[in-house]
Amino acid sequence: MCGITGFTGKVPALPILLKGLESLEYRGYDSAGVTLVTEDALFTQKRKGRLADLESSMDVPSFMQTTGIGHTRWATHGVPSQLNSHPHTNEKETISIVHNGIIENYQSIKEKLIALGYVFQSDTDSEVIVHLLDHYYQGDMMEAIQKTVQQLNGSYAICVVTTDHPDEVYVAKDSSPMVIGHSENGSYCASDIPAILEYTKDVVILEDGQMAKLTPNGVAVFDFAGNALETKVTHIPYDMNAAQKGGYTTFMEKEIYEQPVAIKETMRGIIDHGQIHLPQLDAVDMQKIQYVHFVACGTAYHACLYAQALVQKWLGRIVTCVAASEFRYGNYPVNENTLCVFVTQSGETADTLAALKMSKEKGAQCIAVTNVLGSSISRYADQTLYTSAGPEIAVASTKAFTTQLVLLTLMVFDLAKKEGREIPDGDAILKDLQRMPEIVKEMLEKAPLMDQYAYFLDNQYDAYFIGRQMDYVGVVEGALKLKEISYVHADAYLAGELKHGSIALIEKDTVVVALATEPSVAAKTISNIEETVARGANVILITTQQQDAPGFKNVIRIPDIHPVLATIPVTVLLQLFAYYAAVHKGRDVDKPRNLAKSVTVE
Ligand code: M6R
């Protein structure tokens, strides 16, 4: 989720590049850089840290070049550093590129390029692109790009400049966003609309498999075979503030809708012909492991509850799931026969880091699951698995959670393979996991319905979420989401536990959100729900296509999917429910009271 800007025109490029990057800053980044072009030379300046530091390291008014590219990096391959920052240039310093996305097959390309004599400066996947361009370039950059993209597997939006054509910028994209536009001053490109909105509201949103050539006089779009295409212009009706949120009202809403892509990106490169391989787990010796602990806070802790359930089902190991704030103070078996998995979106949560440090001191094998490359957790853990959710800005965690569920499922699959265990229905589960982006899209279409149900909370102070087995993960996460952004008191219960006390709270119109997606216990959950209906509860039931639910008014059925994966679509519905409840109550959805995105104190 890096930020890209590019410009070629009649005015100095640098202020435009920097301003564009500034408008993308809200998404987070770890380094920034620019390349400016003349026919004599490229001028590249890049550094780790803030855009303001880059800017203050340059005497901006003195740079008169009218063509250039810029980048803010959100690290995926290679830690945040000066060398890993973009742009990347070829050895002769005649070609410079910026890239957003992940090149899955970069290792094999890199090996081939090294064999051809290319020398790499960085640990990034992106650098292969500039050397491939150098290799193929014979005077026609569009042709070199066509040949280069044929070699790339993965996702990319790339932006290229060369001293040979100092008034041209070239772009190409597949599975990562790129927009282009033109005004009387010149032509612009960016990874996101806010970066060019100040100059034009008429943009071309490039589609996968398209490339474009920008000149001061206009833009031309082509397919990857070099055929000229008609440019489809989209008028952007909203302002900069709305554009940063992709046209959504809040970052949380945007991030909820980003889940299909985030899930797809997280799975990218891990499943190959029905086989899972996570090289980070290669060093884990399952024969040695007696205990598995999943440790995290908040929503990430709920992802751990899910992983714990999978290990219980599929692996022959004693497994616990512990809140990081408790882990250090409980007497859990932690030694060289222990595998500890620490899950954290930010990678900076103090309790989780402290639990990891303690586990390392005791000799446990420590794996981190995080969304932020180069975060503290990744520096302390033995190995790190990354969700590719992209920056999560809203305090309420949404896409980080669902991508954690996906990655943890793949992780448990890989550990089972190491144990030599066959996962029951393993092939079917993997197939459904690969369908997940589509399933989540279907859930997002139910937004108007969840909006309507959220009105049930208008005059209510409490809500109760109930479910059994793996549905318990959905209920604890659904209740947390509702509490933190709408301030409606919400409790999560095991459905079978209700009758042991909490049912005393149920009265006329009490909102009960019930999950019954696990076929083996769904009928029992339905009986528990009926007990609440008998006391006047206003029930919203989320269940499967097949489940009998006679007499219930508000029923949402999730698509057919293996029950162990149902938590993912269910969570999306509950995120929408919490979101609309908060909106109806006029809450500050992205910045709920008393909360911080990253809790760096114990
Ligand atoms: O960055 P982390 O995943 O370690 O954060 C853990 C919790 O603070 C976080 O999940 C929190 O519970 C969210 N605000 C929930 O939406």
Side-chain angles (χ1 to χ4, degrees):
M1 297 301 260
C2 305
I4 286 181
T5 53
F7 175 76
T8 181
K10 300 165 191 157
V11 296
L14 185 57
I16 292 170
L17 300 176
L18 292 173
K19 200 154 188 210
L21 293 176
E22 203 177 296
S23 73
L24 303 175
E25 242 188 331
Y26 66 97
R27 305 187 308 178
Y29 62 97
D30 51 66
S31 49
V34 289
T35 291
L36 300 166
V37 196
T38 64
E39 60 187 353
D40 301 324
L42 297 178
F43 174 83
T44 298
Q45 181 93 330
K46 55 186 186 173
R47 57 172 54 214
K48 185 180 164 193
R50 312 299 304 160
L51 189 60
D53 298 335
L54 175 76
E55 196 167 344
S56 59
S57 72
M58 303 174 81
D59 177 22
V60 175
S62 67
F63 290 93
M64 302 309 289
Q65 297 93 329
T66 54
T67 300
I69 53 178
H71 192 265
T72 43
R73 177 169 187 250
W74 165 267
T76 60
H77 290 70
V79 295
S81 71
Q82 158 94 9
L83 282 180
N84 289 336
S85 313
H86 297 216
H88 294 287
T89 47
N90 61 339
E91 203 179 342
K92 289 172 277 180
E93 298 207 14
T94 52
I95 304 172
S96 182
I97 68 110
V98 290
H99 165 229
N100 174 20
I102 295 173
I103 307 301
E104 290 164 19
N105 58 337
Y106 82 101
Q107 275 297 5
S108 61
I109 299 176
K110 190 169 178 173
E111 280 158 27
K112 283 181 203 152
L113 288 165
I114 288 171
L116 289 170
Y118 284 92
V119 178
F120 280 73
Q121 305 293 333
S122 76
D123 302 323
T124 64
D125 53 338
S126 312
E127 196 183 342
V128 297
I129 299 169
V130 74
H131 296 310
L132 279 174
L133 288 170
D134 179 274
H135 176 63
Y136 290 123
Y137 182 68
Q138 289 183 334
D140 183 341
M141 188 53 79
M142 291 298 272
E143 199 182 293
I145 293 174
Q146 283 164 34
K147 289 181 178 163
T148 295
V149 294
Q150 277 172 29
Q151 305 299 316
L152 306 179
N153 293 338
S155 58
Y156 52 85
I158 56 177
C159 192
V160 183
V161 286
T162 170
T163 47
D164 280 2
H165 302 278
D167 54 357
E168 291 178 1
V169 175
Y170 311 90
V171 298
K173 76 144 252 159
D174 195 8
S175 302
S176 292
M178 177 67 80
V179 294
I180 58 178
H182 180 73
S183 77
E184 57 178 359
N185 278 339
S187 299
Y188 311 78
C189 66
S191 54
D192 210 351
I193 292 166
I196 61 176
L197 206 54
E198 183 177 332
Y199 313 105
T200 175
K201 287 200 161 219
D202 293 319
V203 305
V204 179
I205 301 170
L206 287 186
E207 288 171 21
D208 286 347
Q210 291 187 343
M211 49 199 287
K213 182 158 136 179
L214 281 60
T215 65
N217 299 322
V219 298
V221 180
F222 305 86
D223 63 20
F224 280 177
N227 302 308
L229 302 173
E230 198 188 321
T231 47
K232 277 194 257 158
V233 174
T234 304
H235 182 73
I236 306 299
Y238 39 77
D239 62 11
M240 171 74 78
N241 187 23
Q244 289 185 328
K245 293 172 184 144
Y248 293 100
T249 319
T250 61
F251 284 115
M252 181 178 174
E253 189 187 22
K254 174 174 180 260
E255 287 159 10
I256 289 174
Y257 279 85
E258 281 173 348
Q259 287 177 110
V261 172
I263 289 172
K264 195 169 165 199
E265 288 302 306
T266 296
M267 288 191 289
R268 190 180 283 287
I270 299 178
I271 312 173
D272 187 20
H273 296 95
Q275 291 299 313
I276 290 164
H277 187 212
L278 287 161
Q280 298 93 327
L281 301 182
D282 283 353
V284 176
D285 179 3
M286 279 311 273
Q287 312 315 321
K288 222 176 95 176
I289 300 299
Q290 288 175 339
Y291 308 100
V292 181
H293 300 304
F294 288 96
V295 183
C297 299
T299 286
Y301 168 73
H302 299 157
C304 288
L305 286 173
Y306 175 82
Q308 179 195 26
L310 294 186
V311 171
Q312 243 154 21
K313 277 179 197 293
W314 296 338
L315 302 189
R317 294 292 179 275
I318 299 166
V319 55
T320 63
C321 172
V322 190
S325 52
E326 292 291 303
F327 191 60
R328 277 188 304 159
Y329 309 108
N331 191 18
Y332 296 95
V334 182
N335 52 44
E336 53 287 352
N337 299 326
T338 309
L339 175 65
C340 293
V341 183
F342 300 89
V343 182
T344 163
Q345 186 285 131
S346 61
E348 303 296 344
T349 299
D351 285 321
T352 312
L353 287 173
L356 166 58
K357 286 178 193 162
M358 180 206 76
S359 308
K360 272 202 90 171
E361 277 163 22
K362 292 188 174 187
Q365 297 195 37
C366 296
I367 306 286
V369 174
T370 186
N371 193 38
V372 182
L373 199 134
S375 55
S376 302
I377 200 105
S378 66
R379 294 201 297 275
Y380 296 123
D382 295 319
Q383 292 291 335
T384 304
L385 303 179
Y386 291 99
T387 48
S388 299
E392 193 179 64
I393 292 162
V395 164
S397 189
T398 53
K399 59 179 181 169
F401 178 67
T402 47
T403 53
Q404 283 162 359
L405 298 185
V406 167
L407 193 54
L408 287 166
T409 306
L410 295 172
M411 174 180 172
V412 181
F413 259 80
D414 207 34
L415 294 178
K417 189 172 74 185
K418 285 179 182 303
E419 268 196 35
R421 283 179 184 255
E422 189 81 8
I423 291 180
D425 300 336
D427 291 347
I429 296 169
L430 276 190
K431 274 196 190 130
D432 281 352
L433 205 51
Q434 286 167 294
R435 289 200 297 133
M436 197 56 80
E438 292 310 312
I439 290 170
V440 168
K441 272 188 204 157
E442 264 189 66
M443 297 297 92
L444 294 171
E445 283 163 16
K446 298 203 185 286
L449 189 61
M450 299 322 288
D451 187 2
Q452 196 185 314
Y453 289 150
Y455 281 111
F456 292 177
L457 290 166
D458 268 8
N459 300 312
Q460 295 292 316
Y461 295 103
D462 310 289
Y464 299 97
F465 289 70
I466 61 170
R468 287 168 180 252
Q469 296 286 307
M470 293 190 78
D471 278 332
Y472 186 65
V473 178
V475 303
V476 285
E477 176 57 11
L480 176 65
K481 220 81 309 171
L482 184 63
K483 275 183 276 206
E484 74 172 324
I485 58 167
S486 75
Y487 318 149
V488 171
H489 163 251
D491 267 346
Y493 296 116
L494 290 164
E497 277 294 289
L498 211 58
K499 58 184 173 295
H500 296 288
S502 319
I503 199 162
L505 296 166
I506 307 293
E507 54 189 14
K508 187 168 177 321
D509 293 335
T510 303
V511 173
V512 172
V513 179
L515 309 185
T517 68
E518 166 62 61
S520 62
V521 288
K524 288 192 188 301
T525 306
I526 301 256
S527 304
N528 300 136
I529 306 166
E530 273 160 358
E531 289 157 13
T532 69
V533 174
R535 284 151 183 90
N538 194 4
V539 173
I540 300 159
L541 170 63
I542 302 179
T543 189
T544 60
Q545 295 290 325
Q546 289 75 25
Q547 182 58 47
D548 271 351
F552 288 102
K553 279 193 298 197
N554 313 309
V555 183
I556 309 155
R557 294 185 185 275
I558 60 167
D560 279 329
I561 187 173
H562 194 283
V564 297
L565 300 176
T567 309
I568 301 172
V570 162
T571 299
V572 175
L573 294 172
L574 297 183
Q575 291 166 351
L576 290 165
F577 180 67
Y579 177 76
Y580 288 114
V583 169
H584 297 171
K585 289 178 188 296
R587 307 300 190 215
D588 184 348
V589 174
D590 284 336
K591 291 196 180 87
R593 67 186 183 200
N594 307 337
L595 293 174
K597 180 67 184 158
S598 182
V599 184
T600 53
V601 288
E602 285 183 39

